[in-house]
Amino acid sequence: MESETRTVRYGVIGAGMMGREHLLNLFHLRSHGVSVVCIADPYLPSQHHALQLAQSFHCSLKVFLRHQELLDSGLCDVVVVSTPNMTHYEILMDIINHPKPHHILVEKPLCTTIADCKKVVEAARRRSEIFVQVGLEYRYMPPIAKLIEIVKAGKVGQVKMVAIREHRFPFLVKVNNWNRFNVNSGGTLVEKCCHFFDLMRLFTSANPFRVMASGAMNVNHKDEIYDGMVPDIIDNSFVIVEFDNGSRGMLDLCMFAEGSKNEQEISVVGDMGKGEVFIPENVVRLGARVDGRDGVQTLKAEDKRIEYEGLHHGSSYLEHIHFLSAIRDQVSRGLVVSLKDGLLAVAVGVAAQLSIEKGRFVTIQEVMDEL
């Protein structure tokens, strides 16, 4: 076991919006023995913003243009990969195959294709001394964590249905507009919704079996043109996921719904009761069938460990706390979000995108078999 007082040195590859969000969380973890020592990003404005951020915390950062230079420097023990989705595969393989072992926290999605995810999983299997966690941090949001706790305690009985609604604003502008095209992002249902497919697996305690989806680009980005190309990312969808234990999940996604009180609403219904969550109201409700409507309880959901809420209601902070603990204890089973979790979340998204294209159910086996 590593000493609790040993400083763990972090490098961040990709200093865009999410990279800087990770920097902020890590700066707030300095009292936990965390030191951010370097970043790598070829985009000069992102470098500049990251350095300004570091200066505001009285920290200095070594800056590299390329991730390989960061790895070769030997400066860090852990790397956070927060680059555009289509770059994840190459960067992950370079980190895993590097002579010096680096633990890895990679932003979702793991990769944009199932084939690339599988190659990463296989490469990581050969480097057991490296811990790799996938950034599916919605699990850590206090209201969602509370609902997971309720479900795992059996308070709703055997889960039969999971319904997740995300009604939100359109995709934000990213460097070189990479997130406007499926080829770069993996598609909206991979890029954005892998979070929700991961939660469905958690709530149902089962693996996805087949997927049916309907979706389109109906409102957003239709008047945008980049290098002569119009974006092709969908902005709304309904997705039904069937699981191997007979339970079902449904995603209702709308990305032109800024006029919503809550961005996420999650309902988990079992044969004994129902639990639900509303975010950002951070309301958790639990009701039993035998008690009816009058017996529904409203519960408090908070995590006093959170010192910085950031963009995701403290979930990124807790994600780092858990990953740091696994690294210090040198116990890989302490990883809350595994490579298998990342792979299956991508697989459901890929199956949903294909279902929209083909107009039919798509089995997970079908997409897992494609290389």
Side-chain angles (χ1 to χ4, degrees), residues 22 25 75 81 84 124 127 157 180 214 220 224 244 248 261-262 273 300 319 369:
H22 283 292
N25 279 278
L75 290 175
V81 179
R127 295 293 300 271
R180 294 306 198 247
S214 174
N220 299 336
E224 300 173 14
D244 58 11
R248 293 179 179 83
K261 186 175 182 64
N262 285 295
K300 188 175 184 180
E319 171 183 54
D369 287 343

Side-chain angles (χ1 to χ4, degrees), residues 308-329:
Y308 173 69
E309 290 210 351
L311 299 177
H312 300 110
H313 311 286
S315 61
S316 294
Y317 183 89
L318 295 173
E319 171 183 54
H320 278 291
I321 286 283
H322 282 273
F323 190 46
L324 179 62
S325 177
I327 292 168
R328 288 197 182 282
D329 294 343

Side-chain angles (χ1 to χ4, degrees), residues 115-270:
D116 285 350
C117 287
K118 284 182 172 180
K119 292 172 188 174
V120 169
V121 171
E122 182 57 35
R125 189 176 289 123
R126 297 192 293 267
R127 295 293 300 271
S128 59
E129 76 276 27
I130 295 175
F131 295 169
V132 187
Q133 179 159 314
V134 183
L136 293 165
E137 78 280 354
Y138 278 33
R139 295 172 174 228
Y140 299 104
M141 284 188 194
I144 295 176
K146 183 67 175 178
L147 184 55
I148 292 169
E149 176 188 317
I150 287 168
V151 171
K152 297 304 181 187
K155 294 182 179 179
V156 303
Q158 186 176 357
V159 173
K160 299 297 182 181
M161 301 177 72
V162 179
I164 300 178
R165 168 182 287 175
E166 179 169 67
H167 282 196
R168 55 162 282 169
F169 48 89
F171 278 121
L172 300 174
V173 175
K174 298 293 181 75
V175 174
N176 295 326
N177 302 292
W178 66 264
N179 63 340
R180 294 306 198 247
F181 298 95
N182 290 331
V183 68
N184 296 330
S185 70
T188 299
L189 298 177
V190 171
E191 199 313 291
K192 182 70 195 74
C193 302
C194 56
H195 278 303
F196 305 122
F197 302 137
D198 176 60
L199 292 178
M200 287 179 186
R201 285 187 61 235
L202 268 181
F203 288 127
T204 61
S205 296
N207 285 322
F209 170 66
R210 66 174 186 168
V211 179
M212 180 69 187
S214 174
M217 187 176 76
N218 291 129
V219 176
N220 299 336
H221 316 303
K222 298 177 77 171
D223 59 348
E224 300 173 14
I225 298 177
Y226 304 100
D227 295 327
M229 297 182 293
V230 176
D232 60 358
I233 49 170
I234 65 173
D235 57 20
N236 70 99
S237 181
F238 290 112
V239 182
I240 296 170
V241 185
E242 295 182 346
F243 290 86
D244 58 11
N245 65 354
S247 55
R248 293 179 179 83
M250 185 192 74
L251 172 67
D252 165 3
L253 174 71
C254 181
M255 300 191 69
F256 45 89
E258 293 93 329
S260 301
K261 186 175 182 64
N262 285 295
E263 189 170 316
Q264 289 96 22
E265 300 178 7
I266 302 175
S267 166
V268 181
V269 185

Side-chain angles (χ1 to χ4, degrees), residues 106 110 120-121 124-125 132 134 337-344:
V106 56
L110 175 57
V120 169
V121 171
R125 189 176 289 123
V132 187
V134 183
V337 189
S338 68
L339 283 170
K340 178 184 177 183
D341 295 324
L343 167 62
L344 286 173

